Every structure is written in structure tokens, then in C-alpha cells.
Amino acid sequence: MSDKQKIRVLVVDDEPDIVEILTYNLKKEGYEVEAAEDGIKAVKKAIKFQPDVILLDIMMPQQDGVETCRQIREIPELKNTFIIFLTARSEEYSEVAAFDVGADDYITKPIKPRALMSRIAALFRRESKKEQEFSQIKIKDLTIDRTSYTIDKAGKTITLPKKEFELLYFLAKNPNMVFSRDDLLQNIWGADVFVLARTVDVHIRKVREKIGEDYITTVKGVGYKFELN
């Protein structure tokens, strides 16, 4: 998506000053912006506004950002929406929780508007690059369709959240190759996003729960691979 005029951003934060400064800077860059002050309102507004990007605070009244992200990720129409967490909390468990429910990035307050704009642009650059790849992979008894973010397994359709799908797609595209956690973090989340290595383990576990244990193999002390044999 190259035309910023068409990119919609939903800012979700209970601090009016933060909403004001982010809204001002985003609009100045040409983005279309809406705002919500808590998680419950954010979910309702996201359904109506259909944002391309959601900037989401973690600590909010009514409903926190982690639960809000989890609910948004269950809405099919928003499966491709980028979610960037904005938070004053730097504890490891907050970061793990954010990526566990499907965050694309995680930025600690105080937020520098210029740096934030660069992070948003980087998300779209990576997405544009991925869209140039083959849209479908047929491997073993799986058909992995990048257009719909679905997997067909013996006639049964399985839907995965975006990052889980991308992880499976990447491994299946490179069968029998072993990738370390750092390799997977760089290829799936990007070099400019700081993500803990255990986030990969959580996503691998969730993929296995949904498609079965016979596809992704753990190579002890090294990483993971899609087993073709």
C-alpha cells in the first residue's frame, strides 16, 4: 500500500495528550486517523473503521490492550491489520503477552513520532515484499494459501493468525532447512522489531496445536525445520 492517503490508523490510548500528539503527527504524514480511549471502544471502532494499523496502549481502563488485541485478532476482516503496542511498561512478560496475542511491533513510551512513522513504514515495506512471493504452497498434505491466510489439510480448512501463518509459510517454503530462533525472528518479525526468542517457541507450539505435530521438527540446540520426509 503505497498511498498514505489510503492508510487508516486507529490510535487507542487513555491519555488525551498522547492521542493528540500521535493524531497530529499521523495526519501531517497523510494518514487517515481515528481514536479510542479504551479497549472496548477500540474493538467497536476497529470493526467500523477497518484500520490498516492500530496503535494500542497496554494499560487502559475498561479493557487492557492485550485482551483488546486478542479480540481484534479473532475478527476475520481485521486479520491483516498491523497492531503496534505502545506502553510505558518494559517488563518482559508484557512483551511476551503482546506478541503472544498477535502484535506486530512493540514500542516503549515516551514515543518519538519520527521513529514511530519509520516503524509503520517498515511494516508496509516488509508486507509489500512478502506479497511478491508465491501465493500458494502445496507440501505434504497441506495447501498453504497466502491470499486467504488459510491452510487446507485433507479437505479441512484451518485458519491461523497472521504471524503463525507467516511462520508456517516460511518454514514450508524452505523444507528440511533448519532455522534458528534468531533467523525466524528476523524473517518473520523483521530486524527492526525487538522480539524475545521465546516468542518463536510460543508461535511454533500454537501452529503445532492447529495443524498437528508431524510437520515442524525441533532440532535441539539449533532451531526448527519443516520436515519433508
Side-chain angles (χ1 to χ4, degrees), residues 134-139 142-146 169 172-173:
F134 294 113
S135 62
Q136 195 176 85
I137 296 174
K138 294 185 178 180
I139 188 165
L142 301 178
T143 300
I144 306 171
D145 191 325
R146 190 176 186 81
Y169 185 92
K173 189 177 65 172

Side-chain angles (χ1 to χ4, degrees), residues 120-164:
I120 293 174
L123 288 173
F124 282 100
R125 280 198 304 272
R126 288 203 303 275
E127 190 68 14
S128 177
K129 185 177 179 181
K130 288 171 184 173
E131 285 173 358
Q132 295 171 14
E133 298 176 353
F134 294 113
S135 62
Q136 195 176 85
I137 296 174
K138 294 185 178 180
I139 188 165
K140 297 180 80 167
D141 60 345
L142 301 178
T143 300
I144 306 171
D145 191 325
R146 190 176 186 81
T147 305
S148 60
Y149 277 76
T150 58
I151 296 98
D152 182 280
K153 181 183 178 183
K156 178 185 177 184
T157 300
I158 302 168
T159 303
L160 298 180
K162 189 173 183 178
K163 282 294 183 283
E164 292 173 31

Side-chain angles (χ1 to χ4, degrees), residues 177-219:
M177 290 181 63
V178 182
F179 294 93
S180 69
R181 290 171 179 81
D182 286 342
D183 291 334
L184 295 172
L185 287 172
Q186 183 143 338
N187 280 281
I188 307 305
W189 282 269
D192 51 349
V193 179
F194 178 73
V195 189
L196 294 171
R198 73 182 267 206
T199 299
V200 173
D201 300 333
V202 170
H203 281 68
I204 291 286
R205 174 176 54 78
K206 289 186 172 184
V207 171
R208 284 171 170 161
E209 287 172 357
K210 291 164 186 170
I211 69 168
E213 301 282 338
D214 302 329
Y215 302 94
I216 300 174
T217 301
T218 302
V219 181

Side-chain angles (χ1 to χ4, degrees), residues 38-183:
D38 65 58
I40 294 173
K41 291 177 181 175
V43 174
K44 293 177 181 176
K45 185 156 283 191
I47 293 170
K48 184 177 180 181
F49 184 49
Q50 296 286 300
D52 302 294
V53 181
I54 299 175
L55 305 179
L56 182 60
D57 187 30
I58 282 190
M59 297 297 291
M60 293 184 295
Q62 306 296 328
Q63 181 171 285
D64 68 22
V66 172
E67 174 60 21
T68 301
C69 181
R70 187 191 65 76
Q71 291 182 15
I72 288 170
R73 285 298 183 222
E74 292 177 350
I75 301 169
E77 295 82 3
L78 299 174
K79 68 178 185 292
N80 293 324
T81 298
F82 293 116
I83 298 180
I84 302 175
F85 273 97
L86 309 175
T87 176
R89 300 173 67 179
S90 57
E91 298 92 343
E92 179 179 311
Y93 76 88
S94 295
E95 181 183 333
V96 172
F99 286 111
D100 192 20
V101 293
D104 293 286
D105 205 347
Y106 183 102
I107 300 176
T108 303
K109 296 175 181 177
I111 300 157
K112 297 177 181 177
R114 185 174 295 179
L116 176 60
M117 301 307 153
S118 296
R119 296 286 271 271
I120 293 174
L123 288 173
F124 282 100
R125 280 198 304 272
R126 288 203 303 275
E127 190 68 14
S128 177
K129 185 177 179 181
K130 288 171 184 173
E131 285 173 358
Q132 295 171 14
E133 298 176 353
F134 294 113
S135 62
Q136 195 176 85
I137 296 174
K138 294 185 178 180
I139 188 165
K140 297 180 80 167
D141 60 345
L142 301 178
T143 300
I144 306 171
D145 191 325
R146 190 176 186 81
T147 305
S148 60
Y149 277 76
T150 58
I151 296 98
D152 182 280
K153 181 183 178 183
K156 178 185 177 184
T157 300
I158 302 168
T159 303
L160 298 180
K162 189 173 183 178
K163 282 294 183 283
E164 292 173 31
F165 179 91
E166 289 178 355
L167 190 54
L168 174 63
Y169 185 92
F170 178 78
L171 289 169
K173 189 177 65 172
N174 301 282
N176 287 336
M177 290 181 63
V178 182
F179 294 93
S180 69
R181 290 171 179 81
D182 286 342
D183 291 334

